[in-house]
Amino acid sequence: AAAGILCYVGAYVFITYDDYDHFFEDVYTLIPAVIIIAVGTLLFIIGLIGCCATIRESRCGLATFVIILLLVFITEVVVVVLGYIYRAKVEDEVDHSIRKVYNRYNGTNPDAASRAIDYVQRQLRCCGIHNYSDWENTIWFKQTKNNSVPLSCCKAALSNCTGSLTRPMDLYSEGCEALVVKKLQEIMMYVIWAALAFAAIQLLGMLCACIVLCRRSRDPAYELLIAGGTYA
């Protein structure tokens, strides 16, 4: 179950990142998500080893389970550290790339950047970088010369909005940069919290396995059975 949830969290980060990748050029941000998917896959195998070792009362199997679980625990600690590092870098990365993306916007022949901007503005209910007036500095706005912003800036409840700057009350007033930063930081926090939660579960698993190992090593009946003897 833990493995499945970890893989889901990693996949969610990949899917969501794909919607915002134009605003965040550093692909290394996906490293925590890659690691957490790998950990989830490995954790499923480790869980099976632990279950089999416990059922068969194998000291060797339990010892292997504890060692591998310890390595996974260390990996998840690394994920948490990387998550915090990249979470801190999000704001600088978005600030560096968002103006380039808006300048590449082409409403008449939508490319990847145009679709990304329209998606973000509709999804996050924002317009422009800091507000809708930022569109006045873009190449697209100067070429169209109709004093309008993209329709994705229009409030969802309005059906007759044309994006005209003469009716600013029809447009989203909040800029997209702060909301994109917030969204990406939230995504990274999902990874951090998932890694922390399952690191705690793994600590509990290691503790339980160690208790079983200690009890088996102190059980004289168990030792005689292993040696092929009898116990009265």
Side-chain angles (χ1 to χ4, degrees):
I5 295 171
L6 282 175
C7 289
Y8 171 80
V9 171
Y12 171 78
V13 172
F14 268 98
I15 293 169
T16 310
Y17 179 88
D18 188 54
D19 296 326
Y20 296 90
D21 61 348
H22 286 83
F23 303 94
F24 203 81
E25 297 174 348
D26 188 357
V27 294
Y28 295 107
T29 309
L30 289 176
I31 289 177
V34 172
I35 295 175
I36 210 168
I37 290 175
V39 166
T41 305
L42 183 61
L43 193 59
F44 179 75
I45 300 170
I46 294 168
L48 292 178
I49 293 172
C51 289
C52 293
T54 305
I55 292 169
R56 299 182 63 180
E57 298 184 338
S58 169
R59 291 183 65 190
C60 181
L62 281 172
T64 303
F65 173 69
V66 171
I67 292 169
I68 298 175
L69 210 55
L70 178 61
L71 294 175
V72 173
F73 173 78
I74 294 170
T75 304
E76 289 192 336
V77 172
V78 171
V79 169
V80 172
V81 173
L82 287 175
Y84 271 107
I85 290 172
Y86 288 119
R87 186 176 181 274
K89 291 176 63 179
V90 164
E91 190 169 356
D92 291 337
E93 284 288 331
V94 172
D95 184 61
H96 174 72
S97 60
I98 194 168
R99 294 184 184 279
K100 297 179 183 177
V101 180
Y102 269 82
N103 275 323
R104 292 204 305 266
Y105 184 85
N106 185 344
T108 57
N109 183 23
D111 55 8
S114 299
R115 288 194 300 271
I117 289 173
D118 286 331
Y119 172 82
V120 166
Q121 292 191 151
R122 288 194 180 100
Q123 191 75 10
L124 301 183
R125 298 186 176 185
C126 58
C127 183
I129 300 172
H130 301 107
N131 54 57
Y132 57 81
S133 64
D134 292 322
W135 278 103
E136 297 179 80
N137 301 318
T138 62
I139 297 171
W140 173 82
F141 184 89
K142 294 172 182 176
Q143 288 178 341
T144 55
K145 299 178 181 178
N146 60 4
N147 199 36
S148 297
V149 297
L151 294 179
S152 55
C153 281
C154 293
K155 293 178 180 178
L158 301 176
S159 58
N160 59 345
C161 175
T162 60
S164 175
L165 289 179
T166 59
R167 293 182 57 83
M169 70 289 295
D170 292 348
L171 310 174
Y172 294 122
S173 58
E174 194 167 358
C176 293
E177 182 177 3
L179 295 177
V180 169
V181 169
K182 182 181 177 182
K183 183 68 175 179
L184 291 172
Q185 287 180 337
E186 284 177 356
I187 294 168
M188 199 55 63
M189 282 304 299
Y190 293 148
V191 175
I192 293 170
W193 282 114
L196 283 174
F198 290 105
I201 293 173
Q202 285 162 31
L203 273 177
L204 181 62
M206 285 187 286
L207 179 62
C208 293
C210 288
I211 291 171
V212 173
L213 278 172
C214 291
R215 285 181 177 176
R216 292 303 178 200
S217 63
R218 294 173 183 172
D219 189 345
Y222 183 78
E223 290 176 356
L224 286 171
L225 283 171
I226 292 297
T230 59
Y231 178 72

